[in-house]
Amino acid sequence: MITLASDFGSPYPAAMKGVILQRTDARLVDVAHDFPRQDVRSAAFWLREVLPYFPPATHLVVVDPGVGTDRNALVLRAGDHVLVGPDNGVLLPAARQLADDFDLERYVVDETRVESPAPTGSVPPGEPTTSSDPDGPASNTFHGRDVFAPAAAEAHEVGPDGLETLEFLEPATEYVSFEFPEPTLSTDRAVGEVLVVDDFGNAITNVPGSFLADRERITVDGQQVPVGDTFASVPVGDRLATVGSHGYVELDVNRGRGDEAFGLEPGDQVGLEPADENGDT
Amino acid sequence: MITLASDFGSPYPAAMKGVILQRTDARLVDVAHDFPRQDVRSAAFWLREVLPYFPPATHLVVVDPGVGTDRNALVLRAGDHVLVGPDNGVLLPAARQLADDFDLERYVVDETRVESPAPTGSVPPGEPTTSSDPDGPASNTFHGRDVFAPAAAEAHEVGPDGLETLEFLEPATEYVSFEFPEPTLSTDRAVGEVLVVDDFGNAITNVPGSFLADRERITVDGQQVPVGDTFASVPVGDRLATVGSHGYVELDVNRGRGDEAFGLEPGDQVGLEPADENGDT
Amino acid sequence: MITLASDFGSPYPAAMKGVILQRTDARLVDVAHDFPRQDVRSAAFWLREVLPYFPPATHLVVVDPGVGTDRNALVLRAGDHVLVGPDNGVLLPAARQLADDFDLERYVVDETRVESPAPTGSVPPGEPTTSSDPDGPASNTFHGRDVFAPAAAEAHEVGPDGLETLEFLEPATEYVSFEFPEPTLSTDRAVGEVLVVDDFGNAITNVPGSFLADRERITVDGQQVPVGDTFASVPVGDRLATVGSHGYVELDVNRGRGDEAFGLEPGDQVGLEPADENGDT
């Protein structure tokens, strides 16, 4: 099984699928292709939340603002899973979730040794693309198709225990690190950050859900809102704080958009405090 | 085969797919994940129109404004098909279309007996989510992942004739009903309602297509429009009434949006009358 | 393997998948369902760019502004590939790319002999749709479901070498032609056209990438921009000209939208000239 995730929209992911299906008959499952454009942090968050629900698989990830530069391409073995993508940190939170540190192997892709796909047809529609490296991939702008897709297909074919047999892989001696911001927590105050806003408009913070335990109301940047177990615990259109499916404090609106009601977007700081149960702060 | 339908957008459906693929290697087919948010009627309409074209399958449906409340989760056998989703009526029109009434079986899911998925990784990214019921699902806000997906996978594994062997199912003694609004019809007037607007902007009413039979023009809320067999029977940009692929009167614009041209949205009433063939009302 | 491409949005493609899966257990791969509405040229471009990366397959394409008129439905064999879609030119650029001219076979679908799908359920939700031809397909507005999907499934089952055994196919004696506009090229000037704008906002022209060879700057409609190997060769937010993954000159913005920055949309003419390397025109 190979999962695919990118910020490509459409139809570029289909070209990656064609390239993969030239080399393997693995099942393909889309994770998402509408990650916020070139936003490594959002993609890293969603991959960490979603990939652990999959059985062992090869995960192809292309959110790659540095495409065509000298940033590396990585292949990681994380337990029984394999992750393939650019060396910009996007793979790390998911990899750490999928395996303990001692069960991680990191490889760099030698792009000159990956066999780029050859489309059917002897005359390319436009012209061969220029490349600063004649041994490099076919294009400087679509490594998803020309580097990552073939690397993922080959990695899938050899499996997590066969990565060292792939001639285009070399052990990685260094790689770009990545950490989510940590909240500042005390018993009566949490200062966190909105990590992502989901498609429902829920503003997902980095404050652990336990901050809401046994509380009926909190203040969010000074404004009181009820704490609810479910969206439907408040009237339609009302705001609430809840513990989302990721285990973090979320700021939501029942059948509405929390990001708009709270005026929050990814990266915004947010301060949470317990509120008087009578509705006074 | 398991089909998936929701109003989740992206990337939450991928978590459901991971959960399912932990339990079965069934083929997965997306019906849609962009149903209008928490709009049971629209989802019920589309499922009734689309699912009957599928071979026997398990259909997972999550349009669930009451997630986390005490609404039930249902599993229905409808002939050779199985439907899994919340007890809010969304499954019923499709189920009635897929089977005669005497060939329907209804089960309620005992959520405390569904094995919620355990993501890979010993330390969850956030924290375990709070739940008012310690035996309940892992989250109060993502039953698609924690209740419906595992239930659908198990239902698929036993098949439509094995549902009674599933320990988490109990016969349903009652369930939320659902009916689409009926139009008021006479030979020279139809008063109906816009059921949904499709992605092309076609306003699909609940008036049977036969109302247009042998007519060349009708009035829509008093305004004359031609009746056409095809969008292209009128000039580009012009309005028309036609019989859509669902068998209902649709109000369309050739290569444009009927909803905007007619000023109609789902739920709006609309009055149709035959018009003088010379273009006078 | 059957690929699917359309301008249908959602959920109509699912009905086509159901119809296909009633007849074959082929792997289904979506190319895109969000092609610009009823825009034959854009779809023809993307299909030509994407389909050659696939292994031999049947490609179902429905971008069909003339649905329900007397335009023909076509099945083309292009080498080891088969293409199925409306006779409006949308299939031709991909077909020419997939096979040399002498390896192309063209068939017209006799729509009265295609077995339209019968949905499960004895009573259709609305009513049977009117059709000007009682032997014709079930609807005048959804040939994707009622003509093209069954034709593609049958074509897949017999394979590229068995098309002549399909009773609903007849050799095509004529068909609608299609050519992309050609640029006017000289050594110091190219006058081209924006063919499409991709999801990133890159304005893809029909000017071959070789026009940028050995140049560091060009003018685009008189305004100077740098030529870059990669998006990241200019600061974030800056404009550049590059050779895209299709081999054509693209007008882009690093992490932004080139179409907006250059004020270009599909169909717009654009004039490119070499610029003085010192930044003067």
Side-chain angles (χ1 to χ4, degrees):
Chain A
M1 187 183 314
I2 300 176
T3 77
L4 298 95
S6 76
D7 61 354
F8 283 169
S10 168
Y12 292 119
M16 295 199 297
K17 293 181 189 176
V19 168
I20 292 169
L21 294 171
Q22 292 267 16
R23 296 164 189 245
T24 172
D25 62 356
R27 180 200 285 266
L28 304 185
V29 183
D30 289 312
V31 171
H33 294 290
D34 60 354
F35 284 142
R37 280 278 150 71
Q38 296 158 332
D39 177 344
V40 169
R41 192 169 91 165
S42 286
F45 176 85
W46 287 117
L47 294 167
R48 185 189 64 177
E49 298 299 323
V50 170
L51 298 189
Y53 287 95
F54 276 84
T58 299
H59 306 287
L60 168 58
V61 177
V62 195
V63 176
D64 188 17
V67 60
T69 66
D70 59 3
R71 71 94 188 86
N72 283 323
L74 293 183
V75 175
L76 307 182
R77 185 183 66 75
D80 297 331
H81 293 255
V82 175
L83 299 103
V84 179
D87 180 21
N88 58 22
V90 71
L91 305 176
L92 295 186
R96 288 190 204 112
Q97 187 64 25
L98 290 169
D100 292 331
D101 247 4
F102 67 84
D103 201 17
L104 277 174
E105 290 174 6
R106 299 171 179 85
Y107 299 90
V108 171
V109 175
D110 179 349
E111 299 182 9
T112 66
R113 302 182 77 172
V114 174
E115 193 186 343
S116 280
T120 304
S122 49
V123 185
E127 287 190 353
T129 55
T130 58
S131 175
S132 45
D133 179 354
D135 294 324
S139 82
N140 281 316
T141 55
F142 195 1
H143 285 191
R145 179 190 72 193
D146 296 336
V147 176
F148 294 113
E154 302 292 338
H156 177 269
E157 286 299 282
V158 300
D161 297 328
L163 295 177
E164 61 191 19
T165 68
L166 291 175
E167 296 196 351
F168 62 80
L169 291 186
E170 299 161 10
T173 52
E174 53 184 353
Y175 53 90
V176 174
S177 68
F178 183 90
E179 299 290 342
F180 289 108
E182 290 291 330
T184 306
L185 296 172
S186 65
T187 51
D188 60 357
R189 184 161 172 80
V191 178
E193 191 172 326
V194 176
L195 291 180
V196 296
V197 171
D198 72 12
D199 265 12
F200 285 82
N202 300 314
I204 302 171
T205 75
N206 60 350
V207 178
S210 57
F211 187 79
L212 300 185
D214 303 322
R215 284 173 179 159
E216 293 181 17
R217 301 182 70 81
I218 62 167
T219 62
V220 177
D221 292 338
Q223 303 169 62
Q224 284 214 21
V225 294
V227 172
D229 267 1
T230 69
F231 303 129
S233 66
V234 299
V236 170
D238 270 20
R239 302 189 299 179
L240 76 156
T242 190
V243 183
S245 60
H246 318 289
Y248 293 110
V249 175
E250 283 185 14
L251 303 171
D252 310 325
V253 166
N254 184 19
R255 304 203 194 186
R257 293 192 66 91
D259 59 338
E260 294 174 3
F262 285 94
L264 291 172
E265 52 186 50
D268 285 353
Q269 269 215 349
V270 63
L272 309 181
E273 294 186 6
D276 179 280
E277 301 301 328
N278 299 318
D280 308 320
T281 48
Chain B
M1 187 184 313
I2 299 176
T3 76
L4 298 96
S6 76
D7 61 355
F8 283 169
S10 165
Y12 292 119
M16 297 199 295
K17 292 180 189 177
V19 169
I20 292 170
L21 294 171
Q22 292 267 15
R23 297 163 189 246
T24 171
D25 62 355
R27 179 199 285 267
L28 305 185
V29 183
D30 289 312
V31 171
H33 293 290
D34 60 353
F35 284 142
R37 281 277 148 70
Q38 296 157 332
D39 177 344
V40 169
R41 190 168 93 166
S42 286
F45 176 85
W46 288 118
L47 294 167
R48 185 189 65 177
E49 297 299 323
V50 171
L51 299 189
Y53 287 94
F54 275 85
T58 299
H59 306 288
L60 168 59
V61 177
V62 196
V63 176
D64 188 17
V67 61
T69 66
D70 59 3
R71 70 97 188 85
N72 282 323
L74 293 182
V75 175
L76 308 182
R77 184 184 66 75
D80 296 333
H81 293 255
V82 175
L83 297 104
V84 179
D87 181 20
N88 59 21
V90 71
L91 305 177
L92 295 186
R96 288 190 203 112
Q97 186 65 22
L98 290 168
D100 292 332
D101 248 3
F102 67 83
D103 200 16
L104 278 175
E105 290 175 5
R106 298 172 179 82
Y107 299 89
V108 170
V109 175
D110 179 348
E111 299 183 9
T112 66
R113 303 182 77 172
V114 173
E115 192 185 344
S116 280
T120 304
S122 49
V123 185
E127 285 189 355
T129 56
T130 58
S131 175
S132 44
D133 179 353
D135 295 325
S139 83
N140 281 316
T141 55
F142 196 2
H143 285 192
R145 180 190 71 193
D146 296 336
V147 177
F148 294 114
E154 301 292 338
H156 176 268
E157 287 299 283
V158 300
D161 297 327
L163 295 178
E164 61 191 17
T165 68
L166 292 175
E167 296 195 352
F168 61 81
L169 292 187
E170 300 161 6
T173 52
E174 52 184 356
Y175 54 90
V176 175
S177 69
F178 183 90
E179 299 289 343
F180 289 107
E182 290 292 331
T184 306
L185 297 173
S186 64
T187 50
D188 59 357
R189 183 161 172 80
V191 179
E193 191 172 324
V194 176
L195 291 180
V196 297
V197 171
D198 71 12
D199 266 12
F200 286 81
N202 301 315
I204 302 170
T205 74
N206 61 351
V207 178
S210 57
F211 186 78
L212 300 185
D214 303 322
R215 282 172 181 160
E216 293 183 16
R217 302 182 70 81
I218 62 167
T219 63
V220 177
D221 291 339
Q223 303 169 62
Q224 284 215 21
V225 294
V227 173
D229 268 0
T230 69
F231 302 129
S233 66
V234 298
V236 169
D238 271 20
R239 303 189 299 179
L240 76 156
T242 191
V243 183
S245 61
H246 318 289
Y248 293 111
V249 175
E250 284 185 14
L251 303 171
D252 311 324
V253 166
N254 184 21
R255 305 203 194 186
R257 292 193 66 91
D259 59 339
E260 294 174 3
F262 286 94
L264 291 172
E265 51 185 52
D268 285 354
Q269 269 215 348
V270 62
L272 309 181
E273 294 186 7
D276 180 279
E277 300 301 328
N278 298 319
D280 307 319
T281 46
Chain C
M1 186 183 314
I2 299 176
T3 77
L4 298 95
S6 76
D7 61 354
F8 283 169
S10 168
Y12 292 120
M16 296 200 295
K17 293 180 188 176
V19 168
I20 292 170
L21 294 171
Q22 292 267 16
R23 299 164 187 246
T24 171
D25 62 356
R27 180 200 285 266
L28 305 185
V29 183
D30 288 313
V31 170
H33 293 290
D34 60 353
F35 284 141
R37 280 278 148 71
Q38 297 158 329
D39 178 344
V40 169
R41 192 169 89 167
S42 286
F45 176 84
W46 288 117
L47 294 167
R48 185 189 66 176
E49 298 300 321
V50 171
L51 299 190
Y53 287 94
F54 276 84
T58 299
H59 305 288
L60 168 59
V61 177
V62 196
V63 176
D64 188 17
V67 61
T69 65
D70 58 2
R71 71 95 189 85
N72 283 322
L74 293 182
V75 175
L76 308 182
R77 183 183 67 75
D80 296 332
H81 294 255
V82 175
L83 298 104
V84 179
D87 180 21
N88 58 22
V90 72
L91 305 176
L92 295 186
R96 287 188 204 114
Q97 186 64 24
L98 291 168
D100 292 332
D101 247 4
F102 68 82
D103 201 17
L104 277 175
E105 290 174 6
R106 299 172 179 84
Y107 299 89
V108 171
V109 175
D110 179 348
E111 298 182 10
T112 66
R113 304 181 76 172
V114 174
E115 193 186 344
S116 280
T120 304
S122 48
V123 185
E127 287 188 354
T129 55
T130 58
S131 176
S132 45
D133 178 355
D135 295 325
S139 83
N140 282 316
T141 55
F142 196 2
H143 285 192
R145 180 191 71 193
D146 297 336
V147 176
F148 294 113
E154 302 292 339
H156 177 269
E157 286 299 282
V158 300
D161 296 327
L163 295 178
E164 61 191 19
T165 68
L166 292 175
E167 296 196 352
F168 62 80
L169 291 187
E170 301 161 9
T173 51
E174 53 185 354
Y175 54 90
V176 174
S177 69
F178 183 90
E179 300 288 343
F180 288 108
E182 289 291 331
T184 305
L185 297 172
S186 64
T187 51
D188 60 356
R189 184 162 172 80
V191 178
E193 191 172 324
V194 177
L195 291 180
V196 297
V197 171
D198 72 12
D199 266 12
F200 284 81
N202 301 315
I204 303 170
T205 74
N206 61 350
V207 177
S210 57
F211 186 78
L212 300 184
D214 302 322
R215 282 170 181 162
E216 293 181 16
R217 302 183 71 82
I218 61 166
T219 62
V220 177
D221 291 339
Q223 302 168 63
Q224 283 214 22
V225 294
V227 173
D229 266 0
T230 70
F231 302 129
S233 66
V234 299
V236 169
D238 271 19
R239 304 188 298 180
L240 75 156
T242 191
V243 183
S245 60
H246 318 289
Y248 293 110
V249 175
E250 284 185 13
L251 302 171
D252 310 326
V253 166
N254 184 19
R255 303 204 195 186
R257 293 192 65 91
D259 59 339
E260 294 174 3
F262 285 94
L264 291 171
E265 52 186 50
D268 285 354
Q269 269 215 349
V270 62
L272 310 181
E273 295 187 6
D276 181 281
E277 300 303 325
N278 298 318
D280 309 318
T281 47

